[in-house]
Amino acid sequence: MIAIDPAARANVTLIDHPLVQHKLTLMRKKEASTSSFRRLLNELAGLMIYEVCRDMPLQDVQVETPLETMTGKVIDGKKLVFASVLRAGNGILDGVLSVVPGARVGHVGLYRDPKTLQAVEYYFKMPSNMEERDVVVVDPMLATGNSAAAAVTRLKACNPKSIKFLCLLTCPEGINTMYREHPDVRIFTAAIDRELNDHGYIMPGLGDAGDRIFGTQ
């Protein structure tokens, strides 16, 4: 079993709220239907994005309550981009957008070569003016870390203000890879599982997230 680099582990936020852990356990069950898996993922994404956005900057605005004028604080959701790593990342989008509906959405199309386990890009589309925006990359699984690192490398070419990575599950190999390639990118996850198997799947994991989201098993 591979150990996690202590510096890399310090770069990971484990979201261990009881509701997050409860829903993740239900998703892990092999008998969970496509519809229940998709619903639970949507709910989990909505819960987890609260932690990801904890340090988002706020700005003052004047509002009229029914009683008087006051100064309140708001975020500028339009400055936030959710970058979905296709295809499984799209399963997270509805949940995070339900909490931050003003966010922009970008897509990074990558597939993992089954022989080399390396990422191959086939699509990339981001909003304009990325240098003004904070990016949250969303992908249910951070396994080998190769696809995630490739997606972040591609995004950095757009010069965003910051990049974070949100996933349901990860493992020592994925954490170490991401830290080695991008030590400035913080990982947010609901679980750090034991290891990868010989096929690059997280163990004990929950299977292929994309297949379970879209019913293509």
Side-chain angles (χ1 to χ4, degrees):
M1 193 168 90
I2 294 177
I4 301 176
D5 182 314
R9 178 61 183 86
N11 214 34
V12 178
T13 296
L14 180 63
I15 303 174
D16 57 358
H17 189 283
L19 284 174
V20 169
Q21 296 304 310
H22 171 80
K23 292 178 186 295
L24 176 59
T25 298
L26 296 180
M27 290 181 69
R28 289 185 188 268
K29 294 182 177 181
K30 64 180 182 180
E31 65 269 20
S33 67
T34 298
S35 61
S36 64
F37 189 92
R38 194 179 295 151
R39 174 181 54 80
L40 286 164
L41 178 56
N42 184 286
E43 294 171 354
L44 260 174
L47 292 170
M48 294 177 71
I49 197 62
Y50 279 95
E51 190 64 36
V52 179
C53 294
R54 180 177 292 276
D55 62 352
M56 284 187 67
L58 295 168
Q59 57 191 41
D60 292 339
V61 296
Q62 293 291 315
V63 297
E64 292 280 348
T65 79
L67 301 175
E68 64 181 24
T69 301
M70 65 160 286
T71 300
K73 295 184 180 296
V74 296
I75 63 170
D76 187 352
K78 294 179 181 179
K79 294 292 180 68
L80 182 65
V81 174
F82 294 129
S84 171
V85 179
L86 298 174
R87 64 179 170 152
N90 280 357
I92 295 179
L93 281 178
D94 283 348
V96 294
L97 286 170
S98 69
V99 178
V100 193
R104 302 295 194 250
V105 176
H107 294 90
V108 185
L110 298 168
Y111 69 88
R112 187 172 61 178
D113 186 294
K115 293 182 179 179
T116 66
L117 301 184
Q118 296 301 306
V120 180
E121 181 185 319
Y122 63 89
Y123 184 79
F124 186 84
K125 182 70 173 179
M126 289 293 143
S128 60
N129 304 317
M130 286 291 286
E131 66 278 0
E132 302 174 3
R133 304 181 190 279
D134 297 299
V135 177
V136 178
V137 182
V138 295
D139 193 356
M141 316 295 278
L142 178 58
T144 65
N146 294 327
S147 295
V152 171
T153 297
R154 188 71 170 83
L155 282 162
K156 282 186 173 179
C158 300
N159 297 311
K161 290 171 63 178
S162 68
I163 301 177
K164 296 176 180 176
F165 191 90
L166 172 63
C167 60
L168 289 184
L169 297 179
T170 187
C171 59
E173 293 91 333
I175 292 171
N176 289 339
T177 297
M178 182 64 88
Y179 186 76
R180 183 173 61 251
E181 298 293 327
H182 302 289
D184 56 324
V185 174
R186 187 157 193 85
I187 297 167
F188 295 79
T189 187
I192 302 173
D193 279 9
R194 186 179 69 250
E195 61 187 353
L196 293 180
N197 66 14
D198 292 339
H199 300 287
Y201 284 93
I202 296 174
M203 301 295 290
L206 48 70
D208 187 296
D211 282 340
R212 298 194 69 185
I213 292 165
F214 299 109
T216 52
Q217 284 178 306

